[in-house]
Amino acid sequence: MSTPETTRLRPESGWERANSGLGWWRLQELEPTEIDVDPTSEPVVIDAPGPAFDTALLAAALGMARRPFAGRETLALAGRLARRPHLAIRPAAGLAVETGRIVTGGSGATPWKRDRRYGDQAWRGNPLFRRMAQFHTAAGDALETLVDRANLDADADYKLHIAVNNLVAALSPANFPLSNPASLKAIIDTGGGNLVTGARRFYKDVRTPPRLPVRSDPDDFELGVDVAATPGAVVLRTELMELIQYGTSTKEVRTEPLLIVPSVVNKFYLTDLAPGRSLVEFATGEGQQMFSISWRNPGPEQRNLGLDAYISAIIEALDAVLAITGAERAHTLGVCAGGQLLTIAVAHLAAKGTQERVASMSLPVCVLHHGEPGSVTGLLTRETADLASAAVMRQGVVKGATLQGALAWLRPIDSIWWAWVQRYLIAADMPKMDLFYWSEDITNLPAGLVSDLLELTLENSLASPGSMSVLSEPIDLGAVEVDTYLIAGLTDHLTHWQSCYRTASLLGSECEFILVSGGHLQAILRPPGGRAAGYRTADRTPDNPAAWLAAAEEHEGSWWEHWIEWLGRRSTGTRPAPSRLGDRKHPLVEPAPGRYVHVRAADL
């Protein structure tokens, strides 16, 4: 495993950059632990404020999606090269030398090892296909080097890198039927039937936003049966959310219930996927009373719903949870962007002197500090934030499909071209996976909330005590004294673990930091008994994440089990399980998973 001494800043290769979409410098391990990451297990999602969220949002609102080829930035590059032609000599010479090696069979160039488009053995064993892959890699690296040497300003450089990454990813020989050995094999096996099937699928996919290869059909799963299936009922419905209370499966339950605050992008049931992979199911089986918010999928008529409205909804849900259970305190869990909202809500309670109503906070893959050096500084400026806010207010919402599409072009290999090959060229059936289904069950964002989140990120407000007011009350995260459980993924590309770790220095509470061996969603979905997992813990949380990593101890198994024990130590005991759901003031509205979860963005 890595140690702080083997970690430093280094530029990513073109292949890595094409899949990260988060900038060209990132804290990386020089010799990372080999992790078998199956792309089918980690779909591309955008559910957490941070560099990727801001970039995708600005791409959707300000025209990066309308200008995918970075025309102005390309002209700036051409002008720089015209004035300083020697900048192009090194990349061109390097490509010429490498091309000679490729032709003579002496090249060691290989595509990025996690580009699954090159998984067929023919790319390594067949001389022709091996040379095509090598030349594509060498040409892509030459283009990346050319852009790097041009030393453009941060804004132009970032946009141009995105354009180059998309160009290189799109021109891969793996994307074309006659230059992909797996496609050729399928043509022989099916008599060309794979191309007919692929063409039909392509026609179907491009008719619906975001007009990209889909991985899940709306009919693959049934809500309440295959996913979001833990028994329960809606006990409160407002304009913005439904509150779901889950049934108990033990005779005794912990005195303190737990309220889940899900992300505002995608539906709430990431924590209640298929049976056996449901965090809610696991926790109720351990005697934990569980509640969850289900956010409304907003349309243009909800354009004015902003941060204050969401924080009010969380506090209203907390009030209902305490009233229904008769508890004085409740545990809370905020997932991704929901963790940011939850923390703000608890900070507001702290400002009002009522944070004792919260027994603990758990924050999986959540970023609160937006001053990370690797963040996108060239895109999110006062001018772009104001323009984006105005544009979104005219539209009423940012369409979930627009955000999904914008992010896809930031990570084109994983999110577009791998599925392109599988779905259109090979005509393979995508596996029916609950995570695919959830990731494509997207939601919109109301204009008011988008403006508030952009302002929060631009000003890095949560890192400056008193600089942000919520419900007319200045907040200070340092005043939050609620014990907090922080979870991050070692290979998370959306919310880097070092960024998640910085939350410990912002809060005035005792924090337990857990580093899970996995990506953004994999860090959350780690049921006991699943495939290789593992996590790290340490006795303290020093300011420097490298110091934490040096002292961390590795554990086998699932962090879910560690977390449920952590909750138990912050609970006051047990009580008989309730015989019914809701109470007189919060009667059952309808069975879980409720009404709001069934509203799809395409219908709004």
Side-chain angles (χ1 to χ4, degrees), residues 192-206:
N194 60 308
L195 299 183
V196 176
T197 299
R200 289 173 179 165
R201 291 176 173 177
F202 176 80
Y203 176 72
K204 179 182 178 181
D205 291 350
V206 298

Side-chain angles (χ1 to χ4, degrees), residues 2 28 32 69 95 105 113 137 212 216 219 224 233 237 305 319 381 407 435 497 522 526 545 559 569:
S2 65
Q28 290 273 338
F69 302 108
L95 178 60
K113 62 183 179 180
T137 301
L212 297 173
S216 180
D219 296 328
R237 176 180 292 143
L305 292 175
D319 291 341
T381 63
L407 178 68
L435 205 51
W497 77 265
Q522 294 164 338
R526 288 300 194 191
W559 67 264
R569 293 194 296 272

Side-chain angles (χ1 to χ4, degrees), residues 562-573:
H562 182 271
W563 169 70
I564 207 72
E565 292 176 0
W566 182 89
L567 287 179
R569 293 194 296 272
R570 285 153 183 83
S571 301
T572 57

Side-chain angles (χ1 to χ4, degrees), residues 15 19 39 111-120 123-124 136 169 172 174-175 413-414 417-418:
W15 289 99
N19 272 279
W112 187 36
K113 62 183 179 180
R114 284 174 59 187
D115 187 345
R116 296 303 179 97
R117 294 177 299 176
Y118 290 102
D120 195 284
W123 291 112
R124 294 172 292 280
H136 175 243
S172 165
N175 295 340
I413 293 176
D414 279 350
W417 297 112
W418 180 82

Side-chain angles (χ1 to χ4, degrees), residues 307-309 311-312 315 348 352 469-473:
L307 187 60
D308 279 357
I311 300 306
S312 294
I315 295 173
H348 173 74
K352 301 288 288 185
S469 292
V470 177
L471 299 172
S472 302
E473 197 77 41

Side-chain angles (χ1 to χ4, degrees), residues 280-451:
V280 171
E281 177 191 51
F282 167 78
T284 56
E286 296 293 323
Q288 181 63 58
Q289 298 183 80
M290 299 292 288
F291 292 77
S292 180
I293 289 173
S294 173
W295 297 116
R296 179 175 189 168
N297 199 344
E301 61 276 11
Q302 283 85 40
R303 71 181 69 230
N304 293 320
L305 292 175
L307 187 60
D308 279 357
Y310 280 82
I311 300 306
S312 294
I314 293 172
I315 295 173
E316 184 176 6
L318 177 63
D319 291 341
V321 168
L322 296 179
I324 291 170
T325 61
E328 296 181 355
R329 307 182 307 154
H331 298 294
T332 58
L333 184 147
V335 182
C336 306
Q340 187 178 63
L341 298 180
L342 171 62
T343 305
I344 294 171
V346 175
H348 173 74
L349 294 177
K352 301 288 288 185
T354 58
Q355 67 173 314
E356 70 276 1
R357 301 166 66 210
V358 179
S360 72
M361 283 196 302
S362 298
L363 304 176
V365 292
C366 173
V367 173
L368 301 180
H369 197 299
H370 298 280
E372 196 67 25
S375 297
V376 182
T377 58
L379 291 176
L380 186 58
T381 63
R382 169 54 58 192
E383 179 184 9
T384 56
D386 290 344
L387 287 172
S389 296
V392 173
M393 188 57 71
R394 288 193 298 270
Q395 301 163 6
V397 296
V398 169
K399 291 284 188 180
T402 304
L403 272 176
Q404 187 183 45
L407 178 68
W409 291 110
L410 295 177
R411 302 184 63 237
I413 293 176
D414 279 350
S415 54
I416 299 174
W417 297 112
W418 180 82
W420 170 282
V421 171
Q422 298 298 310
R423 185 164 171 79
Y424 304 148
L425 302 192
I426 304 175
D429 291 331
M430 290 291 184
K432 292 185 178 182
M433 295 189 62
D434 51 8
L435 205 51
F436 278 174
Y437 182 87
W438 170 84
S439 70
E440 295 189 350
D441 191 4
I442 53 179
T443 58
N444 301 327
L445 286 177
L449 180 63
V450 169
S451 296

Side-chain angles (χ1 to χ4, degrees), residues 86-299:
H86 66 279
L87 295 175
I89 294 177
R90 181 178 173 183
L95 178 60
V97 171
E98 190 61 33
T99 299
R101 293 172 180 162
I102 291 171
V103 172
T104 59
S107 173
T110 57
W112 187 36
K113 62 183 179 180
R114 284 174 59 187
D115 187 345
R116 296 303 179 97
R117 294 177 299 176
Y118 290 102
D120 195 284
Q121 181 59 37
W123 291 112
R124 294 172 292 280
N126 183 285
L128 175 61
F129 289 117
R130 183 176 66 250
R131 284 171 169 80
M132 284 194 294
Q134 288 175 331
F135 180 77
H136 175 243
T137 301
D141 287 344
L143 278 174
E144 295 285 351
T145 302
L146 182 63
V147 175
D148 288 339
R149 287 174 59 83
N151 196 26
L152 301 174
D153 65 79
D155 184 19
D157 190 72
Y158 187 79
K159 293 177 182 177
L160 196 56
H161 270 296
I162 291 174
V164 168
N165 290 336
N166 275 282
L167 177 65
V168 172
L171 293 181
S172 165
N175 295 340
F176 302 95
L178 299 183
S179 56
N180 185 319
S183 175
L184 289 173
K185 293 174 185 176
I187 290 173
I188 294 172
D189 291 342
T190 66
N194 60 308
L195 299 183
V196 176
T197 299
R200 289 173 179 165
R201 291 176 173 177
F202 176 80
Y203 176 72
K204 179 182 178 181
D205 291 350
V206 298
R207 296 175 63 189
T208 305
R211 311 186 197 287
L212 297 173
V214 301
R215 299 188 180 191
S216 180
D217 189 276
D219 296 328
D220 282 351
F221 294 89
E222 183 179 351
L223 289 167
V225 177
D226 306 305
V227 293
T230 302
V234 175
V235 292
L236 174 66
R237 176 180 292 143
T238 71
E239 179 191 14
L240 186 52
M241 62 89 178
E242 292 176 330
L243 178 64
I244 297 172
Q245 180 182 7
Y246 293 98
T248 57
S249 55
T250 57
K251 294 182 179 180
E252 296 281 324
V253 295
R254 288 173 176 165
T255 303
E256 286 77 14
L258 185 143
L259 171 65
I260 298 174
V261 180
S263 176
V264 290
V265 181
N266 293 98
K267 302 292 179 62
F268 79 93
Y269 58 91
L270 176 61
T271 52
D272 190 23
L273 285 175
R277 285 164 49 81
S278 167
L279 179 61
V280 171
E281 177 191 51
F282 167 78
T284 56
E286 296 293 323
Q288 181 63 58
Q289 298 183 80
M290 299 292 288
F291 292 77
S292 180
I293 289 173
S294 173
W295 297 116
R296 179 175 189 168
N297 199 344

